[in-house]
């Protein structure tokens, strides 16, 4: 885990086998979701894993893909992107991932665009 940012105290990570089970999709489809930026993960704990918060009702969080793309366009690495999503953001009054989960994707993306 990154030294300077703790990814939520109760952050749960899903490995590829976990994602296959949770998403009820074959491994190839799960890899495609990652390649197409519907999900993003990290190898910071050894095996590649995706934060469980990115999965809602058995599907990738719908507002995540555009946010991932905006942050990658701003030059964020996958680890930096994940850390930013889970860090408290004063202007949002919560973390960006909590704002996305609450349906506030426009505010999150507006903020993300300012980081470029």
């Amino acid at each position: 885990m990154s030294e300077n940012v703790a990814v939520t105290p109760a952050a749960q990570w899903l490995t590829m086998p976990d994602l296959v089970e949770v998403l009820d999709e074959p491994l190839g489809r799960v890899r495609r979701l990652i390649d197409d930026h519907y999900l993003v993960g990290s190898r910071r704990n050894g095996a590649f894993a995706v934060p469980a918060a990115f999965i809602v009702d058995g599907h990738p969080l719908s507002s995540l893909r555009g946010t991932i793309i905006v942050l990658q366009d701003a030059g964020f690495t996958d680890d930096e992107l994940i850390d930013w999503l889970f860090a408290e953001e004063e202007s949002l009054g919560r973390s960006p991932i909590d704002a996305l989960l609450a349906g506030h994707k426009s505010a999150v993306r507006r903020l993300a665009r300012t980081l470029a």
Side-chain angles (χ1 to χ4, degrees):
M1 187 169 306
S2 178
E3 294 292 324
N4 55 356
V5 177
V7 179
T8 71
Q12 183 180 8
W13 293 81
L14 302 171
T15 62
M16 292 300 274
D18 297 331
L19 288 167
V20 166
E21 184 177 329
V22 169
L23 296 171
D24 194 27
E25 296 283 356
L27 182 59
R29 174 76 176 128
V30 172
R31 286 187 177 156
R32 175 64 63 132
L33 289 170
I34 293 164
D35 290 345
D36 291 345
H37 310 292
Y38 288 93
L39 293 171
V40 66
S42 173
R43 293 189 182 278
R44 68 179 78 195
N45 296 322
F48 181 84
V50 171
F54 294 173
I55 309 295
V56 176
D57 296 328
H59 301 284
L61 176 62
S62 61
S63 57
L64 189 59
R65 182 173 191 257
T67 305
I68 289 171
I69 292 170
V70 168
L71 291 168
Q72 287 175 336
D73 287 349
F76 279 59
T77 66
D78 289 348
D79 283 339
E80 291 169 337
L81 186 155
I82 292 167
D83 290 343
W84 183 81
L85 285 168
F86 283 95
E88 286 297 312
E89 181 55 53
E90 188 176 319
S91 63
L92 295 172
R94 57 186 138 188
S95 68
I97 191 64
D98 287 339
L100 288 175
L101 289 166
H104 300 282
K105 79 175 180 184
S106 295
V108 172
R109 291 200 189 145
R110 193 170 26 255
L111 178 60
R113 283 188 194 99
T114 67
L115 303 172

